[in-house]
Amino acid sequence: MQCQRSPLLLSFLEPPTENIPKSAGDLEPHHLKSLLQILSTNSDSSAQEQILTTLCNAAAFSVNHDIIRNLDGIRIIGALLSHTDTKIKAGTLNALNNLSMNLQNQEQIQAFINEIFKDILESELNSEVQLAGLRLVINMSVTNNYHEKMADYIPNLLNLMDGGDTTTKIYLLKVLVNLSANPLMTSSLLTSKAPSAVTFLFDSSINRDILIRALTFAANVSENLGRQQQWNRNCNYKEDSLYALLFKDQASLQSNLAPLLLIPDLEIKQQVSRCLRSSERL
């Protein structure tokens, strides 16, 4: 959810608000309408931040998803993605993230995908804005519906691996795992420019959550590539591509993966086995 606790902005609401509930879960449609109207007309950053927090908390309740969308709330909230205040950006991304748990809401949120990635890529590495943006992209990439809109940003996501902290790497890999589960994204993934830091993810000393997701990503891509051998033979991969980094040298790949089978972790063993089996068919 990633919303902060914040009192409702009762002083901003009209008419007088002594009957406004204190819990975001108790807000009724007319309360949400008032908050959205204020958000669209009030330029005070402090007020905007608090309203976004309240809307974010309200959006954590599925009953409010359709209500906020039908009040044009997604457009109103999304308009603040261009705000220069990082707290407003983070609040906007967090609110959209909670709203994105609804597939109909995703249909409207996808219009902001370019702006969401812009905030992810231009914000400070490992910052709350970057993490909030990645959380939203994770949700938006669960289905295949908007993968094509994200394809151009794959090299950027891979590049963030180099320097990203543990949380950032986990979030990046969650997105990449979602994309790699879609066979139609195989070409975009394998031809993307990738930093050598990607290979460092396959190490027994690395964080378990990172390792499992890195292995799952590699296995997904390898299996999809194995099913597309005809396409593979006709493709010229650049030396700095993800394909060249992971799959060009099969002996090196297998020597890196084989020691991971010694880790006493069933899920890791399963993903390593997937990688090894599929890479043998390449």
Side-chain angles (χ1 to χ4, degrees):
M1 186 170 89
Q2 298 296 327
C3 303
Q4 300 174 351
R5 291 186 177 182
S6 177
L8 298 182
L9 294 186
L10 308 187
S11 61
F12 288 96
L13 298 178
E14 295 292 344
T17 58
E18 57 270 14
N19 294 322
I20 297 294
K22 295 181 179 180
S23 170
D26 295 329
L27 287 171
E28 296 181 8
H30 65 278
H31 302 139
L32 295 170
K33 181 178 180 180
S34 296
L35 287 168
L36 288 166
Q37 287 176 338
I38 297 166
L39 188 64
S40 65
T41 57
N42 194 316
S43 60
D44 179 77
S45 294
S46 178
Q48 289 175 327
E49 182 185 354
Q50 292 179 68
I51 294 173
L52 285 168
T53 299
T54 300
L55 290 170
C56 181
N57 287 326
F61 297 90
S62 59
V63 68
N64 291 325
H65 289 170
D66 292 341
I67 295 171
I68 292 174
R69 182 184 68 252
N70 292 333
L71 290 170
D72 201 24
I74 292 174
R75 182 192 63 79
I76 292 171
I77 294 169
L80 291 174
L81 285 170
S82 59
H83 203 288
T84 57
D85 189 316
T86 57
K87 291 182 179 179
I88 301 298
K89 282 184 182 293
T92 300
L93 291 163
N94 285 332
L96 291 175
N97 181 49
N98 282 354
L99 288 166
S100 71
M101 302 302 291
N102 177 299
L103 291 179
Q104 286 182 283
N105 287 350
Q106 285 193 7
E107 293 178 8
Q108 294 190 15
I109 295 172
Q110 59 92 17
F112 299 104
I113 282 179
N114 289 337
E115 292 177 75
I116 293 165
F117 273 99
K118 183 175 184 290
D119 285 340
I120 291 171
L121 300 175
E122 294 184 357
S123 62
E124 184 177 347
L125 187 64
N126 308 317
S127 66
E128 179 52 36
V129 171
Q130 187 171 82
L131 295 177
L134 288 172
R135 284 191 293 268
L136 176 52
V137 173
I138 290 168
N139 281 348
M140 294 294 293
S141 62
V142 169
T143 70
N144 297 351
N145 295 345
Y146 312 111
H147 285 182
E148 188 174 340
K149 287 178 172 287
M150 302 179 186
D152 289 344
Y153 298 102
I154 292 173
N156 303 104
L157 295 175
L158 292 169
N159 193 54
L160 287 176
M161 289 287 184
D162 192 2
D165 64 14
T166 297
T167 302
T168 299
K169 283 186 171 70
I170 290 172
Y171 284 2
L172 288 166
L173 284 165
K174 284 184 176 182
V175 177
L176 291 170
V177 167
N178 286 346
L179 295 176
S180 68
N182 180 358
L184 296 178
M185 295 300 292
T186 304
S187 174
S188 296
L189 288 164
L190 290 175
T191 56
S192 292
K193 182 177 180 180
S196 60
V198 170
T199 60
F200 301 151
L201 301 176
F202 305 101
D203 189 290
S204 60
S205 64
I206 204 164
N207 175 281
R208 179 184 183 276
D209 288 335
I210 292 176
L211 179 58
I212 287 177
R213 288 175 174 83
L215 290 168
T216 303
F217 169 68
N220 286 349
V221 175
S222 182
E223 287 178 351
N224 288 333
L225 179 59
R227 300 185 188 105
Q228 300 175 16
Q229 284 298 313
Q230 181 61 45
W231 170 83
N232 178 40
R233 285 196 293 269
N234 296 328
C235 185
N236 294 318
Y237 298 103
K238 295 182 179 180
E239 289 300 314
D240 59 358
S241 67
L242 182 67
Y243 174 86
L245 192 65
L246 293 184
F247 302 118
K248 183 177 181 180
D249 186 345
Q250 288 295 311
S252 177
L253 173 66
Q254 294 189 17
S255 66
N256 287 335
L257 293 177
L260 299 179
L261 288 171
L262 300 176
I263 298 176
D265 186 304
L266 179 60
E267 190 172 0
I268 289 176
K269 289 178 183 291
Q270 289 174 337
Q271 296 305 327
V272 171
S273 296
R274 286 182 64 211
C275 288
L276 291 173
R277 285 196 306 269
S278 57
S279 64
E280 289 173 355
R281 296 194 294 268
L282 298 181

